């Protein structure tokens, strides 16, 4: 109970950090103030659901690790990380396409055009999911378990686990929730999936179930998320359009707007690179240092990501608002909101760093039921990496709306290449600590490179304002 109390204190501090006083808002124009308030409100809704999920994750991860033991738990993490990585690198970010090309048609009730865009996004989801499942199955069959750092006897369970990739893409339904500004529904279906995973792991803990059972619970959680989110998307379509769902158009091979595929592939490739950065390190550690070390690294990263998650929750709320700013040509409003959010994130980062030093080690020991030498160093390094990543939260959506996605792709590609060079070199010298340090360096470089064009753009806007005055 002491750990859960600490987590709820963390949640309370997070909400205090996200609250904005009326005095601060008064310095902003009315339109920008309302947008900023809506962003913070929607982020708060998402955080509410994630706080419960974070509390439960510390419980079900602890149950799983204590039941399976450190090495077998590491094998499970490697299998699920591999499935997640394959799903991520084959997934089209159709929710961004739906917002980018469907927002104006949806607002103007041009539902014929919107149906075409929506059907395109649904096709993209299912097509990429099918490819992902085949790649996952083929990857295990071709590479084998030895190269991936898994024992040979888990191969049948791992192959079955790859089948769930077919149901891991929820892009179009996520786009509908964000388009309709119905973020409260996210907390509902996340609550359902959290209950499924926590309840399933609890049963496995009390009955001392084997690895295959916990992999099944992970797959069941992914399938539950797919079903509930898809139902929410269909529900919102009926509610806002009062029309039948365009099932017939899903089977038409039609690209409604020129450039949609190029945009979809660009934003998807950016997410692929980010996934390789987030998941690839765990797999590299598993194949080089072993499953136990991979489990330590993955849990440390989960804690760091959990502490920084409230700020990352702004991304789903920022993108729709930036699209509205773009459609109205209100670049000055976008700048004011971006600066305000960036200041909020800096304050939040100091809070997260303080919490890491205060409770990080205890959370680590509780989740793994194991004390690792130098665990505080690993946590501090990975938290610093996560904090550099969340400083990108307002920058990447802004660059995407500014049609600078190609710049982001080039920068991330170069950084990922450097990351794996750093990773393998530093692992040889300092083990897991070296892997964590390589993550810090790569995140910092990405932040600096992406911030340069944004700072230049803000400077030009300020100079234009001074010239007009």
């Amino acid at each position: 109970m002491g750990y859960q109390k600490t987590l709820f204190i963390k949640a309370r501090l997070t909400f205090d950090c996200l609250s904005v006083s009326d005095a601060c808002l008064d310095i902003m124009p009315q339109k920008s103030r309302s947008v900023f308030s809506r962003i913070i409100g929607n982020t708060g809704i998402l955080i509410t659901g994630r706080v419960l999920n974070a509390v439960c994750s510390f419980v079900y991860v602890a149950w799983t690790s204590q039941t399976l033991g450190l090495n077998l738990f590491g094998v499970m993490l490697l299998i699920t990380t591999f499935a997640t990585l394959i799903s991520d690198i084959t997934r089209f970010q159709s929710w961004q396409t739906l917002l980018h090309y469907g927002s104006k048609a949806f607002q103007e009730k041009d539902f014929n055009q919107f149906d075409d865009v929506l059907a395109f996004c649904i096709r993209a989801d299912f097509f990429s999911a099918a490819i992902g499942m085949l790649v996952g199955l083929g990857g295990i069959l071709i590479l084998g378990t030895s190269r991936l750092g898994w024992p040979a006897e888990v191969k049948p369970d791992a192959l079955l686990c790859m089948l769930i990739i077919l149901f891991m893409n929820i892009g179009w339904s996520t786009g509908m929730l964000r388009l309709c500004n119905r973020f409260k529904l996210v907390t509902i279906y996340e609550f359902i999936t959290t209950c499924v995973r926590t309840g399933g792991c609890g049963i496995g803990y009390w009955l001392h179930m084997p690895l295959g059972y916990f992999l099944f619970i992970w797959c069941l959680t992914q399938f539950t998320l797919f079903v509930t989110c898809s139902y929410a998307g269909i529900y919102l379509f009926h509610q806002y359009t009062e029309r039948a769902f365009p099932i017939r158009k899903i089977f038409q091979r039609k690209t409604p707007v020129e450039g949609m595929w190029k945009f979809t592939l660009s934003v998807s490739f950016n997410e692929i690179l980010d996934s390789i950065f987030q998941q690839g390190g765990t797999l590299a550690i598993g194949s080089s240092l072993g499953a136990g070390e991979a489990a330590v690294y993955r849990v440390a990263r989960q804690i760091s990501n959990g502490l920084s998650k409230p700020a990352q929750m702004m991304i789903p709320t920022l993108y729709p608002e930036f699209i509205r700013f773009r459609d109205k040509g209100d670049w000055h409003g976008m700048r004011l909101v971006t600066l305000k959010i960036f200041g909020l994130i800096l304050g939040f980062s100091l809070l997260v760093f303080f919490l890491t030093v205060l409770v990080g080690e205890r959370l680590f020991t509780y989740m793994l039921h194991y004390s690792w030498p130098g665990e505080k160093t690993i946590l501090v390094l990975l938290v610093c990496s996560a904090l550099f990543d969340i400083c990108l939260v307002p920058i990447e959506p802004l660059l995407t709306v500014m049609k600078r996605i190609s710049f982001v792709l080039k920068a991330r590609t170069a950084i990922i290449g450097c990351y794996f060079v750093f990773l393998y070199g530093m692992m040889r010298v300092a083990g897991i600590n070296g892997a964590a340090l390589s993550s810090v360096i790569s995140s910092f470089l990405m932040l600096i490179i992406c911030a340069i064009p944004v700072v230049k753009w803000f400077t030009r806007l300020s100079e234009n304002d001074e010239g007009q005055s």
Side-chain angles (χ1 to χ4, degrees), residues 96-107 113-114 117 179:
Q96 292 194 42
T97 304
L98 184 63
L99 291 176
H100 197 85
Y101 290 98
S103 180
K104 186 175 182 180
F106 187 78
Q107 297 296 329
Q113 173 71 13
F114 180 74
V117 176
L179 189 63

Side-chain angles (χ1 to χ4, degrees), residues 69-125:
L70 181 62
N71 286 330
L72 204 55
F73 177 60
V75 172
M76 176 187 169
L77 289 181
L78 289 174
I79 294 173
T80 56
T81 298
F82 182 78
T84 303
L85 176 62
I86 296 300
S87 175
D88 289 346
I89 65 177
T90 56
R91 178 184 303 165
F92 293 137
Q93 298 297 314
S94 60
W95 71 270
Q96 292 194 42
T97 304
L98 184 63
L99 291 176
H100 197 85
Y101 290 98
S103 180
K104 186 175 182 180
F106 187 78
Q107 297 296 329
E108 296 177 354
K109 299 187 182 300
D110 184 3
F111 293 132
N112 186 54
Q113 173 71 13
F114 180 74
D115 287 354
D116 290 336
V117 176
L118 180 63
F120 173 89
C121 295
I122 295 174
R123 287 196 303 273
D125 278 347

Side-chain angles (χ1 to χ4, degrees), residues 210-241:
L211 173 64
Y213 171 82
F214 286 98
L215 287 174
F216 169 75
I217 294 299
W218 183 83
C219 293
L220 181 62
T221 303
Q222 302 300 321
F223 183 73
T224 303
L225 177 64
F226 173 82
V227 171
T228 53
C229 190
S230 297
Y231 176 79
I234 295 173
Y235 166 77
L236 289 177
F237 182 88
H238 283 295
Q239 184 183 46
Y240 280 82
T241 67

Side-chain angles (χ1 to χ4, degrees), residues 115-124 126-127 245-255:
D115 287 354
D116 290 336
V117 176
L118 180 63
F120 173 89
C121 295
I122 295 174
R123 287 196 303 273
F126 280 98
F127 178 69
F245 198 73
I247 297 177
R248 179 178 56 84
K249 287 191 174 183
I250 297 175
F251 300 98
Q252 298 176 356
R253 293 183 295 178
K254 178 182 179 181
T255 303

Side-chain angles (χ1 to χ4, degrees), residues 457-468:
W457 181 61
F458 284 172
T459 303
R460 286 197 299 270
L461 285 178
S462 298
E463 290 175 352
N464 291 339
D465 290 342
E466 294 176 358
Q468 292 176 0

Side-chain angles (χ1 to χ4, degrees), residues 85-316:
L85 176 62
I86 296 300
S87 175
D88 289 346
I89 65 177
T90 56
R91 178 184 303 165
F92 293 137
Q93 298 297 314
S94 60
W95 71 270
Q96 292 194 42
T97 304
L98 184 63
L99 291 176
H100 197 85
Y101 290 98
S103 180
K104 186 175 182 180
F106 187 78
Q107 297 296 329
E108 296 177 354
K109 299 187 182 300
D110 184 3
F111 293 132
N112 186 54
Q113 173 71 13
F114 180 74
D115 287 354
D116 290 336
V117 176
L118 180 63
F120 173 89
C121 295
I122 295 174
R123 287 196 303 273
D125 278 347
F126 280 98
F127 178 69
S128 60
I131 292 177
M133 182 185 67
L134 295 175
V135 171
L137 292 171
I140 295 178
L141 292 173
I142 295 172
L143 294 176
T145 55
S146 59
R147 292 187 182 180
L148 296 170
W150 313 342
E153 56 269 20
V154 305
K155 186 174 182 178
D157 290 333
L159 288 172
L160 290 174
C161 195
M162 295 304 111
L163 298 178
I164 201 61
I165 296 177
L166 187 62
F167 302 100
M168 290 179 67
N169 289 8
I170 54 173
W172 75 266
S173 48
T174 300
M176 281 298 303
L177 268 69
R178 294 171 184 176
L179 189 63
C180 299
N181 201 36
R182 295 292 297 274
F183 290 89
K184 290 181 180 179
L185 291 178
V186 177
T187 62
I188 295 175
Y189 69 69
E190 285 188 346
F191 172 75
I192 295 172
T193 55
T194 298
C195 289
V196 169
R197 187 164 189 180
T198 305
C201 290
I203 294 172
Y205 173 73
W206 291 109
L207 298 180
H208 304 286
M209 300 298 285
L211 173 64
Y213 171 82
F214 286 98
L215 287 174
F216 169 75
I217 294 299
W218 183 83
C219 293
L220 181 62
T221 303
Q222 302 300 321
F223 183 73
T224 303
L225 177 64
F226 173 82
V227 171
T228 53
C229 190
S230 297
Y231 176 79
I234 295 173
Y235 166 77
L236 289 177
F237 182 88
H238 283 295
Q239 184 183 46
Y240 280 82
T241 67
E242 298 180 348
R243 298 164 59 251
F245 198 73
I247 297 177
R248 179 178 56 84
K249 287 191 174 183
I250 297 175
F251 300 98
Q252 298 176 356
R253 293 183 295 178
K254 178 182 179 181
T255 303
V257 181
E258 185 179 356
M260 284 185 68
W261 269 117
K262 181 179 179 180
F263 175 83
T264 303
L265 292 173
S266 297
V267 296
S268 299
F269 188 64
N270 185 46
E271 294 298 324
I272 287 170
L273 293 174
D274 185 62
S275 179
I276 292 174
F277 174 67
Q278 296 292 337
Q279 311 291 345
T282 303
L283 293 174
I285 291 171
S287 62
S288 299
L289 302 179
E293 285 79 358
V296 171
Y297 183 85
R298 176 63 183 272
V299 170
R301 181 170 282 282
Q302 183 174 346
I303 293 173
S304 64
N305 288 341
L307 291 171
S308 62
K309 194 59 138 179
Q312 293 173 344
M313 288 295 95
M314 285 187 182
I315 294 178

Side-chain angles (χ1 to χ4, degrees), residues 48-74:
T48 302
R50 288 304 175 95
V51 166
L52 175 63
N53 182 61
V55 173
C56 290
S57 71
F58 287 112
V59 174
Y60 64 67
V61 168
W63 283 342
T64 306
S65 64
Q66 291 174 36
T67 303
L68 298 178
L70 181 62
N71 286 330
L72 204 55
F73 177 60

